[in-house]
Amino acid sequence: MATNTSSHSQVSSNPSKGMNKRRRGRTEELGIEEERDRIEGERDRKARTKQRAEELGDSIRDASIDWGSYGIDFLTSTIGERELYDFLQRLEKVSTFAKTRADTTARLLSSLRQNPNKLDILTTVQSELSNLLQDDVYPLTDAKSLEDALGKPFRVPLLHRVTASHPSLAPTTNFGIQELLKHFAEDKGASISVYDYSIPDPAKRTRQMTVHEFRSCFRSGNTCRTVLNFLDIENRTKIQFCPSPIILQDVTTKLDALIQYDKGKTGSEWRAERPKEFFLAAKRNAISTIHIDTGSMVTWVLILEGRKIWYFPRHVNSRTVRWLALVGSQTPENYKGGWVKVELRPGDLLIMPPSFPHAVFTPEDCLAVGGQFYTAGHLGRSIEGLRLQENYPDISNEDLDDSVYSTLARILNNCSPVMTSLEKSQVASNQSLFPNRSGPPTYDEHSKESLVNVLKSYRVAISSKATKRELLELLKKKSSTLVACTPRGEFLNALEKFCEQFMHDSTVDGDLEGSSD
C-alpha cells in the first residue's frame, strides 16, 4: 500500500512542476519581449532625438546670417575719390552688421549645443537676451513671406538672402554685366548718365557717357581705375526681374484689376503695362552717399552680379530725414542708434520703406536691378515723405518728376476699395502738411501794372478800364484753373477730395470715434 501511495503521490506532483516550468518559460519570454521593446523604444527615441537635432541644426543654419568680408582701403587719385573714401571710413565706424531675432536665437542655440557647462549656458543666455529686442531687418524666407510683409507697413527693410534651402525670389537671375553689354552692342551711340568721382566739383560729377564708353569700362582686361556709378539705365531688355509678390501688392496693380475690361482675348481692350525697372551698374569701390530715393515710394533692389554693402540708420522717422537735410549727405555721425549694414550677394533682394535714408558701397564690379512702387499700407508715409522732399530737395539724388504727382493723383482718386479705414486715416492725417493745397497764389500786394503784365502772360484779354479789383478777380480765376491743371495741382485736389470723402464716410460709419480709442 505504501508503494502505491508513494507512486500515486509522485504522479500527482508532476503536473504542478510542469505548470511552473511553463510559467517560468512564459515569464522569460515576456522578459525577452519587454527587453526587446525597451531596446527598440530606446532606438526609436535616439532616432527621433537625432532627427530633431538635425532639424534644429538645419533651422539654425537657415536663420544664421553669415556676412562676407570686404575691404574699404583702396587707392585714391583725385579729390573727389578721397572725399568719398573719407566718408566711407567714417560711415564704417558707426555701422554694424544687421541683427535679427531669428539670427541671434540661432547663434545662441548653436553656442549652447557646443557648451555642456550649465553656468556658461546661463551666462550666455543672459548676455544675449538684450539682442532679442528688435530686428534690424525683416528676414524673408519665400514668396509667401514677402507677400505677407508687403501687405502691411514695415519699419525696417525686408531682406531675402539666397541659401541652399531658400532660392532667389526673382523670376530669373541668369543675367549679368556681360549680358547687359551684349544688349547694348547695337546701340553704341546712345548715352547714359554716370556719376564720375574723378570730377572735383560734386555738382558736376553727373555727366553723360556713350554706350560705347560704358561697354569699354566693363570689358574684361580694362585697367581703368576711375570709380564710376551708373544709376539710371532703364531696363528695356523685356526681361522681368521683379518678384511677382511686389507686382501684386503694388496699389496700381490692384487698381488696374478693378477696371472692368473684357477678360477674354477676343475684343479685349486691355494693354499690359510692365512696371519700370532700372539697372544699377557700378565699378569697384563706387560709393553713393546718404540720400533717399525720389518720389517717396517703396524701393526694391535685386543683385544680379557682384556685391553691394547697403547702409541705413538703425532708427528712421521724419526727424531722421530732417537731420539728413540739416547735416548733408556726407555726415553719418549722430544718427540715433548708429547705422546698420547688410551685404547683398547675387540673387539677394532688399526692399526699403518710403523716404528711407541709405548709403551704398560697391566692393566689386556689380550689376543690380530695381524699381519703385506704392503700397496701401505705406501710402500715408509716402505722402509725408513727398512733402519732406519738396521742403528739402537735396535729400534725394534725383529731382521730383511730375509723374510722381500724376500717379499719386490717380491712386487717391480710385484707391478707396483697396484700402482699410486705418490706412485711409494715415493718408488723411497728412493733408495738413500741404497748407495751401491747390489754392492759387495771391497778388494783393502787386501794383495794377504788375497785374496787367501777369494777365498778359496768361494771354487774358483785359479791358483798358478794368480796376485793380477786377484784375485781381480775373487773375484769381485764371490761377485756380492753371494750378489745378498741373500734375501737382491734380495731386492736391485729389488729396483734398480723398480726405473729404474719408471724413464723411467715417462720420457716417462712426469710424472716427472708434479709431480714437
Side-chain angles (χ1 to χ4, degrees):
M1 288 292 293
T3 305
N4 291 340
T5 303
S6 174
S7 175
H8 176 74
S9 174
Q10 184 177 2
V11 172
S12 63
S13 65
N14 287 339
S16 176
K17 292 181 178 179
M19 289 176 62
N20 291 335
K21 186 175 182 181
R22 286 192 297 272
R23 196 175 289 120
R24 285 196 301 272
R26 283 196 300 270
T27 301
E28 291 174 357
E29 290 176 2
L30 288 173
I32 293 172
E33 289 178 3
E34 289 176 355
E35 180 65 15
R36 187 184 297 116
D37 291 343
R38 188 189 65 78
I39 293 173
E40 290 178 356
E42 183 69 16
R43 188 184 297 119
D44 291 342
R45 187 187 65 79
K46 289 182 178 180
R48 287 193 298 271
T49 300
K50 183 179 180 181
Q51 182 179 355
R52 285 197 297 270
E54 291 174 351
E55 291 173 351
L56 177 61
D58 291 340
S59 66
I60 289 174
R61 283 188 292 273
D62 285 345
S64 298
I65 302 177
D66 294 320
W67 305 110
S69 60
Y70 59 95
I72 59 171
D73 292 320
F74 50 88
L75 296 176
T76 58
S77 56
T78 67
I79 295 175
E81 290 176 354
R82 185 67 201 181
E83 172 188 310
L84 293 170
Y85 173 87
D86 291 342
F87 162 75
L88 180 62
Q89 306 303 311
R90 289 160 46 218
L91 179 59
E92 277 287 328
K93 288 181 180 178
V94 293
S95 302
T96 56
F97 273 120
K99 291 183 179 181
T100 67
R101 282 170 287 188
D103 174 50
T104 302
T105 302
R107 293 184 185 280
L108 177 59
L109 290 174
S110 179
S111 65
L112 296 182
R113 291 176 67 200
Q114 300 170 6
N115 193 342
N117 188 297
K118 292 182 179 180
L119 180 59
D120 289 344
I121 290 175
L122 291 173
T123 303
T124 303
V125 170
Q126 185 179 22
S127 65
E128 291 291 341
L129 282 177
S130 59
N131 295 324
L132 300 175
L133 296 179
Q134 68 172 35
D135 291 322
D136 289 329
V137 293
Y138 185 89
L140 303 171
T141 55
D142 52 25
K144 183 64 169 61
S145 65
L146 172 56
E147 181 182 357
D148 292 343
L150 292 176
K152 52 185 180 290
F154 48 94
R155 183 186 57 81
V156 297
L158 312 179
L159 175 65
H160 179 270
R161 299 196 91 212
V162 173
T163 65
S165 55
H166 298 146
S168 177
L169 300 180
T172 179
T173 55
N174 190 24
F175 190 96
I177 295 173
Q178 294 306 312
E179 285 71 26
L180 183 63
L181 297 182
K182 290 177 184 176
H183 171 68
F184 285 143
E186 303 301 323
D187 200 9
K188 299 177 182 178
S191 62
I192 296 175
S193 295
V194 58
Y195 194 84
D196 188 342
Y197 297 84
S198 65
I199 299 175
D201 186 356
K204 298 180 180 179
R205 284 179 187 158
T206 300
R207 64 179 180 86
Q208 295 299 113
M209 174 183 283
T210 66
V211 167
H212 176 72
E213 292 175 302
F214 169 78
R215 296 180 72 238
S216 66
C217 288
F218 288 95
R219 190 174 292 124
S220 58
N222 182 282
T223 57
C224 174
R225 292 185 177 179
T226 302
V227 181
L228 302 172
N229 218 354
F230 303 84
L231 302 175
D232 189 23
I233 306 174
E234 194 170 37
N235 176 16
R236 300 181 182 177
T237 64
K238 297 186 178 181
I239 301 173
Q240 179 180 301
F241 298 94
C242 182
S244 58
I246 292 177
I247 299 174
L248 295 175
Q249 289 291 346
D250 188 338
V251 174
T252 60
T253 302
K254 295 183 177 182
L255 296 184
D256 287 340
L258 296 177
I259 300 176
Q260 298 300 312
Y261 289 119
D262 185 341
K263 304 303 182 183
K265 178 179 178 182
T266 306
S268 172
E269 298 179 356
W270 177 76
R271 296 290 180 271
E273 187 173 320
R274 291 194 313 119
K276 282 192 173 183
E277 299 179 354
F278 297 90
F279 289 116
L280 312 170
K283 292 290 292 179
R284 180 183 180 186
N285 297 328
I287 300 167
S288 292
T289 54
I290 308 167
H291 65 281
I292 67 168
D293 290 335
T294 190
S296 192
M297 305 181 217
V298 179
T299 299
W300 64 272
V301 178
L302 173 75
I303 305 300
L304 297 174
E305 180 180 339
R307 291 188 299 155
K308 284 188 178 292
I309 309 300
W310 215 271
Y311 304 82
F312 50 89
R314 180 163 274 107
H315 302 287
V316 175
N317 52 35
S318 59
R319 290 190 299 274
T320 314
V321 179
R322 288 195 292 270
W323 176 249
L324 166 61
L326 178 66
V327 299
S329 64
Q330 296 189 30
T331 304
E333 292 83 8
N334 297 318
Y335 282 80
K336 182 181 179 180
W339 287 71
V340 177
K341 60 182 178 180
V342 296
E343 176 207 20
L344 300 179
R345 305 170 302 184
D348 289 354
L349 174 71
L350 183 75
I351 303 176
M352 294 185 296
S355 301
F356 202 76
H358 59 283
V360 185
F361 172 57
T362 306
E364 57 194 64
D365 289 0
C366 179
L367 178 65
V369 65
Q372 294 179 287
F373 62 107
Y374 292 105
T375 67
H378 276 301
L379 194 56
R381 182 169 177 174
S382 290
I383 291 174
E384 179 187 12
L386 176 65
R387 187 57 176 164
L388 284 170
Q389 189 176 351
E390 286 184 343
N391 291 338
Y392 312 108
D394 290 341
I395 61 178
S396 177
N397 54 5
E398 293 181 67
D399 295 331
L400 271 171
D401 190 83
D402 282 346
S403 62
V404 171
Y405 294 112
S406 299
T407 301
L408 281 172
R410 181 201 165 206
I411 291 173
L412 291 170
N413 284 328
N414 300 281
C415 66
S416 185
V418 299
M419 294 185 69
T420 66
S421 180
L422 178 60
E423 291 166 345
K424 293 175 186 177
S425 70
Q426 292 169 345
V427 171
S429 67
N430 289 305
Q431 186 185 21
S432 61
L433 298 176
F434 301 86
N436 296 324
R437 294 200 286 280
S438 56
T442 58
Y443 296 94
D444 295 343
E445 303 300 323
H446 287 231
S447 66
K448 182 177 178 180
E449 182 182 359
S450 175
L451 295 175
V452 170
N453 290 333
V454 173
L455 284 166
K456 283 183 177 179
S457 70
Y458 289 154
R459 298 183 181 180
V460 176
I462 308 168
S463 170
S464 59
K465 297 181 180 180
T467 65
K468 181 177 179 180
R469 177 176 293 181
E470 290 171 336
L471 293 176
L472 282 170
E473 286 298 320
L474 280 172
L475 194 53
K476 192 174 294 184
K477 291 179 182 178
K478 187 65 179 177
S479 297
S480 297
T481 304
L482 290 172
V483 169
C485 289
T486 64
R488 187 176 187 273
E490 292 174 2
F491 157 69
L492 293 173
N493 283 339
L495 178 61
E496 187 171 3
K497 291 177 182 177
F498 177 95
C499 294
E500 289 175 354
Q501 186 63 49
F502 171 71
M503 297 299 288
H504 174 269
D505 294 344
S506 298
T507 302
V508 172
D509 298 337
D511 285 349
L512 285 182
E513 183 179 353
S515 63
S516 64
D517 292 339

